[in-house]
């Protein structure tokens, strides 16, 4: 297909009445199933105790004096020379006493409120890749046009509940104000909750301010139902940078949630053994939890996990491995033990959208779903170990998310569902196609796929024998044509633009 | 690659010392996890009661007088005019009292004994497709050369535990003696337990006899540890053909196991609702269970399930759907309730080895694993709704099976696994690559994939940017080169050949 300009694309969408793609309605998924457990209570206790020993005996190195002050006032052991903070179980217990078990989030459309915690399950857009790829234009550096198209796709497909922090880096834009452009695109092209950049106080506050403007409420009012979230990464092992702690503090002060996520590749940032990796990850997450509650008791926090492994022969990171599946489940067991909302990720290490990308994604996703994750980050579009955001992978992932959401629909067992009379009405060797029991239900009985082609081989051959990758290329283009920009009050739009213009100037002068 | 003749291929294998592909050692997988449940006890009871009502009020139509005689003697209600047999809960309870909860199977290598029942998990080669496909030679009718190559691959890869009934139909061979050729290939090219054809008494007895010869034991001795199994399909809804019941009777008389498997596509062979489909499938399976125990109390039986759905807009069968995932789990809950070994399937509806084939396979496999299946039939090589056995899909499936087997390895949590000292030894922001704790474990710490390529984009590009499908094409060819035929005693080989020669003549004359 020739590249269609943005303007031309919108005209096409208006001119032809789109039939629209089959997709699920907007919904907040909830898991009706009890969490799957792969470790017993003794094992969980052993991991917990090891984490406490790490915090007490080794501690966490912090770069920020403000953080050291906070911990010192709370009675922690702070060594200013080595910048090391050691805490014990009482600090963890106190933080667990004030942190909320669940919280809601919403952007500018009240009906799209999502829950974090409990049985809720949210799927997020990939975040962070420097590159982007599709099968028409190939692999290229991240840019703002692709950024905006991904936001449109996330808005279009109801499978996606939340936008991650920068789906691709728009590298042509100035690094110090890029976050303003991306926040603006998030708000303009979608009405979804999004992740702000947690690197430093300024980027966080811009996100909070712009979300408040878009909801026509004050920043203070946004404390009741937060509108933005951020990822606070620990520089594993055991190091918390000051940019990260500044971001955490700014978010906590405004009661906006942080997802504390040690990024731990077993064999590199942790020992090779899964229990050790989890004990270390857990220690790092609990430390930041304590910090958030020292800043602001009651500030919302997610227990984040991103534990996979490296290929020990090459040192290359591996994702969607069976070890990652287990880690996703075990971290869910830990989050549940602490009563914390749980965030994990969906990832794969493939260099293209192929069989490997698919089965690794499924290993990762099943671990996340069985682990009862409330937020599956990077759920749509992640490729190449997170170095590329892929348009075809996005479509594949929407199909996978829709499959999982259908799997999460609770089983109904009424007398009619059990169908004894319907079964008795069809003779041995007969069929149920024409039965009233079937006809009454056939439209909604089964999940209708987005990407799967269930026609027989001959019909499939006649129409070009397109494989799923080729169909995915068609689908993201069609979705961009069908996409409808959500209406934004012109006054709000103007207020956002003037905020951004003002901030561009301020940041330009180096003013905080 | 130019086609290498069988002879040439073997020479290559001998001439060059193969490095061998990375694969897991031969093992019987056991699930360390409690079964996953998606329905509660009340729901399971409701399904059970509906099944009993189906058996009591509607019954099963049988074509065989012998079967009607057996049920009549057991006090069942038999209507000779409509060939309908109605049974009640007492018949089911009696059968459940005599059927074994677990049983072992073995072919000619004692160390490769497998268990059916309990926590054991076995993965089987695809069975039944009329066509075969690979990316070099394309799609073609099943034939004996491809048949033998698939048996070699199943033998070569330890991921596969058991051979299904005819991986592809060798259509160039006479239909009435084809089973002899395929049994011979199973025994000559592998030392795995295999499925015999359950269609009629003759094919069953040939399989039993040939397996006994290959093990150098009598047919009577094979009662202790069976060597063959068969699938008894019900012609859903509620019809048992005489060829199937003849096969079931012959197997039961010789204490060889049958896997009773109603093949039920919701919306076609059952109502569209999952509880109704399960109630009907369950009724059909329980009926055949009763029959087997009437023939021979204590004969081994597997509870089989193959419930998926049709596309209700086209009538096309769909596999690997979220409904199929749920059915695989629920059938596992039913099998567990009755204390029966459980067989289910891995299937997909894609017309080629692509993203769809992969995610549908994963949906199906995860359902089977979570359902605690003791036998996952069609686990390796199934494509195109079962109409094609694919060489590349076989490799993809071996990778998926290996991932699942790694996931099933129980977590070890010793003090050393928790690694407190190792964690304390690495400074904040450091890495664990060079640590003794890492070096001591790095060779076996993580699963080594067969098909995944974890190199970075640049390295992958330099070596041709092969996607996983293309690598799979390389891998099955390499595996066929590396393949080693398991040694067979010349006397046994001769005995098998003379048995086959004799039977060819007998069948040719129409003698039973």
């Amino acid at each position: 297909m020739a590249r269609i300009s943005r303007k031309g694309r919108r005209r096409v969408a208006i001119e032809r009445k789109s039939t629209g793609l089959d997709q699920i309605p907007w919904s907040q998924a909830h898991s009706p199933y009890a969490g799957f457990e792969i470790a017993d209570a003794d094992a969980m206790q052993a991991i917990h105790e090891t984490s406490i020993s790490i915090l007490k005996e080794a501690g966490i190195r912090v770069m920020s004096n403000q953080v050291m002050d906070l911990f010192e006032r709370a009675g922690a052991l702070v060594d200013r020379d080595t910048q090391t903070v050691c805490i014990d179980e009482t600090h963890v217990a106190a933080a667990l006493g004030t942190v909320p078990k669940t919280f809601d989030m919403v952007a500018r459309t009240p009906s799209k409120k999502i829950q974090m915690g409990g049985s809720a399950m949210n799927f997020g857009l990939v975040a962070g890749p420097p590159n982007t790829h599709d099968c028409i234009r190939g692999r290229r550096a991240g840019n703002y046009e692709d950024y905006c198209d991904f936001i449109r796709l996330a808005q279009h497909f109801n499978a996606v509940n939340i936008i991650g922090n920068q789906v691709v880096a728009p590298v042509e834009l100035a690094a110090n104000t890029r976050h303003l452009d991306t926040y603006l695109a998030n708000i303009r092209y979608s009405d979804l909750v999004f992740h702000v950049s947690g690197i430093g106080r300024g980027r966080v506050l811009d996100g909070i301010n712009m979300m408040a403007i878009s909801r026509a409420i004050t920043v203070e009012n946004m404390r009741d139902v937060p509108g933005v979230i951020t990822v606070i990464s620990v520089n594993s092992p055991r190091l918390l940078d000051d940019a990260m702690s500044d971001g955490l503090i700014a978010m906590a002060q405004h009661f906006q949630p942080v997802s504390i996520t040690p990024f731990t590749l077993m064999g590199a940032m942790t020992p090779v053994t899964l229990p050790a990796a989890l004990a270390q990850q857990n220690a790092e997450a609990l430390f930041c939890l304590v910090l958030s509650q020292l800043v602001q008791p009651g500030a919302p926090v997610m227990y984040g996990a991103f534990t996979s492994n490296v290929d020990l022969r090459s040192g290359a990171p591996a994702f969607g491995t069976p070890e990652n599946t287990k880690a996703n489940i075990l971290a869910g067991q830990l989050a549940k033990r602490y009563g914390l909302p749980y965030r994990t990720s969906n990832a794969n290490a493939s260099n293209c959208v192929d069989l490997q990308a698919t089965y690794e994604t499924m290993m990762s996703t099943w671990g996340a779903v069985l682990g009862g994750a409330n937020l599956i980050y990077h759920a749509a579009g992640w490729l190449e170990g997170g170095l590329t955001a892929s348009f075809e992978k996005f479509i594949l992932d929407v199909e996978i998310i829709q499959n999982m959401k259908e799997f999460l629909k609770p089983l109904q067992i009424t007398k009619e569902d059990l169908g004894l009379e319907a079964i008795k009405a069809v003779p041995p060797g007969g069929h149920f196609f024409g039965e009233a029991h079937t006809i009454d239900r056939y439209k909604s009985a089964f999940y209708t796929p987005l990407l799967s082609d269930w026609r027989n081989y001959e019909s499939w051959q006649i129409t070009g024998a397109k494989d799923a990758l080729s169909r995915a290329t068609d689908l993201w283009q069609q979705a961009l044509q069908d996409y409808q920009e959500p209406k934004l009050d012109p006054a709000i739009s103007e207020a956002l633009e003037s905020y951004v213009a003002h901030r561009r100037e301020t940041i330009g002068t180096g003013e905080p």
Side-chain angles (χ1 to χ4, degrees), chain A:
Chain A
M1 183 194 94
R3 180 96 183 97
I4 298 173
S5 72
R6 173 79 42 243
K7 213 172 162 188
R9 188 182 288 156
R10 254 202 295 266
R11 200 174 50 247
V12 170
I14 292 159
E15 277 169 10
R16 55 161 219 157
K17 179 71 187 162
S18 167
T19 52
L21 301 170
D22 277 322
Q23 66 158 316
I24 54 171
W26 171 267
S27 70
Q28 161 79 76
H30 282 271
S31 174
Y33 311 127
F36 187 74
E37 298 194 342
I38 67 174
D40 62 17
D42 287 350
M44 298 315 289
Q45 180 64 18
I47 292 172
H48 168 77
E49 284 172 9
T50 305
S51 300
I52 297 296
S53 297
I54 294 167
L55 291 172
K56 200 171 165 181
E57 298 167 26
I60 304 290
R61 185 172 171 212
V62 299
M63 316 291 276
S64 154
N65 286 321
Q66 188 184 1
V67 171
M68 283 188 269
D69 294 346
L70 279 164
F71 275 104
E72 204 162 53
R73 276 202 296 276
L77 208 67
V78 178
D79 183 330
R80 298 269 170 177
D81 292 337
T82 61
Q83 301 175 302
T84 304
V85 178
C86 291
I87 59 173
D88 60 32
E89 183 133 27
T90 61
H91 295 100
V92 174
L96 289 172
T98 55
V99 69
K101 288 195 185 307
T102 69
F103 58 89
D104 290 339
M105 295 189 73
V106 76
R108 61 187 164 101
T109 300
S111 62
K112 284 188 165 180
K113 188 157 77 176
I114 58 175
Q115 184 190 328
M116 295 290 183
S119 61
M121 208 161 269
N122 298 285
F123 297 84
L125 186 62
V126 61
N131 305 302
T132 183
H133 180 274
D134 66 64
C135 290
I136 299 170
R137 293 166 291 181
R139 189 171 182 261
R140 54 201 181 270
N143 60 80
Y144 195 60
E145 187 182 349
D146 284 326
Y147 183 97
C148 296
D149 274 348
F150 273 113
I151 301 303
R152 292 185 180 98
L153 289 174
Q155 171 71 14
H156 185 75
F157 285 103
N158 292 326
V160 180
N161 301 106
I162 185 168
I163 292 172
N165 180 32
Q166 295 199 2
V167 53
V168 283
V171 295
E172 80 277 28
L173 303 181
N176 60 343
T177 54
R178 198 182 283 168
H179 64 284
L180 298 168
D181 302 292
T182 59
Y183 296 163
L184 200 57
N186 295 349
I187 293 171
R188 190 178 296 289
Y189 302 123
S190 91
D191 59 0
L192 300 175
V193 164
F194 62 85
H195 283 69
V196 298
S197 168
I199 302 174
R201 193 172 177 83
R203 289 184 175 85
V204 162
L205 293 180
D206 285 334
I208 294 173
N209 287 327
M210 289 175 70
M211 177 55 81
I213 294 170
S214 80
R215 287 169 62 182
I217 60 174
T218 63
V219 167
E220 287 67 35
N221 285 145
M222 212 162 73
R223 295 180 174 206
D224 299 332
V225 183
V228 292
I229 183 171
T230 193
V231 174
I232 299 299
S233 301
V234 180
N235 195 345
S236 301
R238 299 189 291 112
L239 175 62
L240 182 62
D241 292 334
D242 50 355
M244 278 284 129
S245 57
D246 287 352
L248 181 149
I249 291 167
M251 289 292 277
Q253 286 170 337
H254 291 86
F255 280 89
Q256 301 302 298
V258 294
S259 163
I260 298 164
T261 310
F263 174 52
T264 45
L265 293 177
M266 293 183 274
M269 299 87 142
T270 75
V272 292
T273 48
L274 188 50
L278 284 160
Q280 183 191 310
Q281 167 205 298
N282 190 45
E284 294 166 348
L286 292 176
F287 181 85
C288 293
L289 165 75
V290 172
L291 173 57
S292 80
Q293 300 305 300
L294 291 179
V295 173
Q296 180 57 66
V301 169
M302 298 197 80
Y303 182 94
F306 198 155
T307 292
S308 194
N309 54 291
V310 293
D311 177 357
L312 279 171
R313 293 171 304 185
S314 69
F319 301 100
T321 63
E323 291 83 4
N324 173 238
T325 310
K326 286 184 180 179
N328 279 354
I329 295 171
L330 284 166
Q333 288 190 244
L334 284 164
K336 197 174 177 184
R337 178 191 167 101
Y338 299 125
L340 290 169
Y342 170 41
R343 168 252 151 132
T344 186
S345 297
N346 167 10
N348 72 89
S350 186
N351 287 303
C352 60
V353 185
D354 65 349
L355 314 179
Q356 178 186 341
T358 313
Y359 63 74
E360 288 182 347
T361 292
M362 284 301 250
M363 288 303 288
S364 189
T365 300
W366 270 100
V369 168
L370 292 174
N374 303 116
L375 170 57
I376 303 177
Y377 205 56
H378 305 302
W382 166 295
L383 191 66
E384 202 196 302
L387 294 178
T388 290
S390 154
F391 283 85
E392 281 80 14
K393 181 65 167 37
F394 177 91
I395 295 294
L396 168 64
D397 287 339
V398 167
E399 176 72 299
I400 289 174
I401 293 167
Q402 294 195 158
N403 267 270
M404 298 314 293
K405 284 190 171 179
E406 182 72 28
F407 173 71
L408 293 171
K409 279 195 192 160
L411 194 68
Q412 292 199 342
I413 308 212
T414 64
K415 202 182 161 206
E416 283 66 40
D417 294 319
L418 286 161
L420 177 60
E421 296 313 315
I423 292 167
K424 285 161 77 172
V426 172
H431 67 78
F432 290 77
F433 282 120
E435 294 300 301
H437 189 272
T438 309
I439 291 167
D440 290 349
R441 293 165 176 79
Y442 88 94
K443 278 186 184 162
S444 62
F446 308 130
Y447 166 63
T448 303
L450 172 71
L451 183 58
S452 291
D453 185 335
W454 288 341
R455 291 171 304 165
N456 66 28
Y457 189 82
E458 290 69 27
S459 308
W460 175 75
Q461 279 278 8
I462 286 166
T463 52
K466 284 189 174 185
D467 72 0
L469 179 62
S470 166
R471 298 195 300 269
T473 303
D474 295 343
L475 285 166
W476 67 257
Q477 293 177 90
Q478 192 188 329
L480 284 176
Q481 287 185 6
D482 293 350
Y483 164 79
Q484 303 281 344
E485 195 173 300
K487 280 196 173 54
L488 186 63
D489 185 316
I492 290 176
S493 181
E494 209 172 297
L496 284 167
E497 268 160 32
S498 85
Y499 179 90
V500 167
H502 168 69
R503 283 292 292 152
R504 261 192 233 285
E505 267 182 53
T506 320
I507 293 171
T509 63
E511 199 184 304

